[in-house]
Amino acid sequence: MNAPDKLKRTANGLDLERIRADFPILKLKVNGKPLVFLDNAASSQMPQPVIDRWVRYQTTQHSNIHRAVHHLSEVATAEYEVARKKLQAFINAKEDREVIFTTGTTDAINLVAHGYGRKFIGRDDEIVLTTLEHHSNIVPWQMVAEEKGAKIRVVPVNDRGELIHEEYLKLLGPRTKIVCVGHVSNALGTINPIREMIQAAHAKGIPVLVDGAQAVPHMKLDMQALDCDFYAFSGHKMFGPTGIGILYGKAAWLEKMNPFKGGGDMILSVTFEKTTYNAIPYKFEAGTPNIAGTIALAAALDYLSGIGMERIAAYEHELVAYAHEALATVPGLRFIGTAQEKAGVVSFVLEGVHPHDMGTVLDYEGIAIRTGHHCAQPVMERFGVPATARASLALYNTRAEVDALVQGLHKVREMFA
Ligand SMILES: Cc1ncc(COP(=O)(O)O)c(C=O)c1O
């Protein structure tokens, strides 16, 4: 049965057929089969309103921003700043100047590693990371640690892939200068208890950076309630385009930090003797930004908000639970990551089959999953596997698509197991 045949309204009233119709790429056939796109943690697809907004910007509003007095420059600047305000509202930041446009999560974390780390971290200081981090929340901190003579401390996980809270608390000491933790693990789907982690760090005066790349598309966020110091995410994982991302930072920190990149727009005045930096957020937005991407991302926020993040979270929660149930029926399948709280991701291995072979056979069936280490090699090492297969779900995925994956895995077994 084709995936869309089994579509119906979900219990909380989401009209999946209509939602799927918003995403033109979902009509594709791959290898003659309807596309079943289960690689959303890597990059999700764009709905028509986001594509339309991008085209409208390019065809009627494009100009460089913050620079000229002519009509198009004023329009583009205004739209860019409207996008900032929409992002502020979407994550409930206190002020719009706490929203910095970057090229993605990686860029946002590097901004903090360089802007905060190189200024506030010194010899023998400690940076607390977790076993679950994506490489982009490890490597920038290693670079700072190496340069400054600081140490990396790592929070371990239990066999379900959950951070061990008591071990985390033990790592928070007088030399800890920052805690950097993912909100949701891209390799396992674990939702980390970041609220408790932030409270524990703040009780000792330690700031916290949250890598939210895998959380933002799946749940409602509230920066003020969370009280984190930094929060990083990417547009292309939340129905927006590539090349645009966000760093949320508390104004008090951003004001104290050094700029990460130098160039146009981030200055107030330049002489060969001295440069005076612009106010935040512009201090961190050197050069011509991704104006079209920013404006299209704002359209993605409108799209998500139009459906409602609570409804999206409820539907996806149900779908992830269904995926676990359905996949558990495949003989020889072992889940990697069975945390109580999960979002978006199901990671597994199949006895006697290399994940890459699994991915290739599933591709013949039009099913896109990710296989490999998912840029989280320490997680693979912890679970003693070189790679996993990862199905990552988005709002537009259905139970029928999960069933198609299960069917595909039976074919894989017939061929290899
Ligand atoms: C948890 C996590 N952090 C960071 C990143 C990096 O995001 P980007 O490549 O958009 O910078 C990813 C991408 O997969 C991710 O899953």
Side-chain angles (χ1 to χ4, degrees):
M1 183 182 282
N2 282 351
D5 292 340
K6 269 177 78 178
L7 286 179
K8 51 181 187 286
R9 267 180 194 274
T10 62
N12 68 355
L14 287 186
D15 185 343
L16 281 184
E17 210 150 339
R18 249 189 87 184
I19 288 170
R20 288 181 66 85
D22 287 337
F23 291 81
I25 207 165
L26 297 181
K27 296 183 187 80
L28 267 192
K29 292 210 168 182
V30 171
N31 294 320
K33 310 276 172 54
L35 169 67
V36 173
F37 191 76
L38 301 175
D39 192 19
N40 296 287
S43 205
S44 56
Q45 303 298 347
M46 265 197 266
Q48 194 63 51
V50 176
I51 299 166
D52 290 346
R53 185 65 191 93
W54 194 85
V55 171
R56 182 156 74 87
Y57 169 76
Q58 296 292 9
T59 51
T60 67
Q61 298 180 319
H62 173 65
S63 172
N64 212 328
I65 55 165
H66 297 146
R67 292 181 188 197
V69 292
H70 62 74
H71 169 76
L72 280 180
S73 183
E74 283 183 356
V75 170
T77 303
E79 294 294 339
Y80 183 80
E81 293 303 333
V82 164
R84 197 187 307 275
K85 285 210 177 301
K86 280 194 179 168
L87 271 141
Q88 177 200 353
F90 190 75
I91 60 173
N92 195 29
K94 201 166 167 194
E95 304 176 60
D96 62 355
R97 67 194 182 119
E98 296 180 317
V99 173
I100 294 162
F101 291 120
T102 67
T103 63
T105 307
T106 306
D107 192 35
I109 295 172
N110 274 276
L111 190 162
V112 181
H114 289 262
Y116 169 89
R118 292 169 98 189
K119 184 161 180 183
F120 294 107
I121 298 174
R123 175 155 297 282
D124 295 330
D125 283 340
E126 296 178 3
I127 299 163
V128 171
L129 309 179
T130 88
T131 308
L132 296 178
E133 296 321 302
H134 187 281
H135 295 164
S136 61
N137 203 21
I138 299 175
V139 183
W141 298 109
Q142 283 175 328
M143 291 160 95
V144 172
E146 196 176 332
E147 182 183 317
K148 296 292 176 175
K151 297 189 179 78
I152 303 283
R153 300 269 184 233
V154 182
V155 186
V157 291
N158 64 23
D159 291 341
R160 291 187 300 274
E162 297 162 325
L163 297 177
I164 304 172
H165 198 66
E166 310 80 69
E167 297 298 325
Y168 166 65
L169 297 179
K170 282 188 215 159
L171 292 180
L172 301 177
R175 302 235 55 133
T176 313
K177 283 293 180 314
I178 191 163
V179 170
C180 306
V181 55
H183 196 162
V184 173
S185 155
N186 71 306
L188 306 183
T190 311
I191 304 177
N192 292 320
I194 54 165
R195 218 176 153 137
E196 291 79 359
M197 293 177 79
I198 292 164
Q199 280 168 358
H202 283 180
K204 300 201 166 176
I206 303 162
V208 179
L209 172 140
V210 180
D211 170 354
Q214 296 299 340
V216 182
H218 304 299
M219 58 188 73
K220 193 166 172 56
L221 288 178
D222 184 333
M223 290 302 118
Q224 294 183 68
L226 208 51
D227 198 30
C228 58
D229 302 274
F230 305 102
Y231 197 100
F233 55 102
S234 300
H236 68 98
K237 295 181 195 287
M238 52 189 299
F239 305 158
T242 52
I244 181 70
I246 303 298
L247 174 70
Y248 158 81
K250 279 186 181 162
W253 277 123
L254 295 175
E255 274 169 349
K256 280 186 237 165
M257 281 159 52
N258 288 334
F260 170 37
K261 298 171 187 165
D265 242 23
M266 53 77 74
I267 54 89
L268 286 179
S269 69
V270 178
T271 65
F272 282 109
E273 288 68 43
K274 186 175 167 51
T275 289
T276 317
Y277 301 135
N278 206 340
I280 61 167
Y282 309 113
K283 181 171 93 174
F284 295 104
E285 292 180 1
T288 300
N290 182 352
I291 309 164
T294 304
I295 292 167
L297 176 58
L301 303 184
D302 289 343
Y303 185 84
L304 287 163
S305 304
I307 295 169
M309 291 311 296
E310 283 99 344
R311 289 168 81 203
I312 293 172
Y315 170 64
E316 290 184 359
H317 187 73
E318 191 186 284
L319 192 62
V320 169
Y322 179 74
H324 276 96
E325 245 171 64
L327 288 165
T329 63
V330 177
L333 184 144
R334 178 163 62 92
F335 293 109
I336 306 291
T338 50
Q340 292 265 310
E341 299 292 331
K342 286 187 66 164
V345 166
V346 185
S347 233
F348 54 91
V349 290
L350 200 52
E351 204 182 343
V353 188
H354 193 281
H356 289 321
D357 293 331
M358 220 191 294
T360 306
V361 175
L362 290 172
D363 183 55
Y364 293 146
E365 301 299 317
I367 302 168
I369 61 158
R370 183 70 169 263
T371 58
H373 54 59
H374 317 297
C375 298
Q377 285 183 350
V379 179
M380 301 297 117
E381 198 184 327
R382 166 62 180 80
F383 286 90
V385 289
T388 73
R390 179 186 73 181
S392 55
L393 306 164
L395 163 67
Y396 41 67
N397 289 126
T398 65
R399 286 181 173 224
E401 290 182 311
V402 172
D403 294 344
L405 172 63
V406 170
Q407 295 300 318
L409 289 172
H410 283 299
K411 285 201 178 150
V412 172
R413 285 197 74 249
E414 280 164 26
M415 291 175 76
F416 290 98

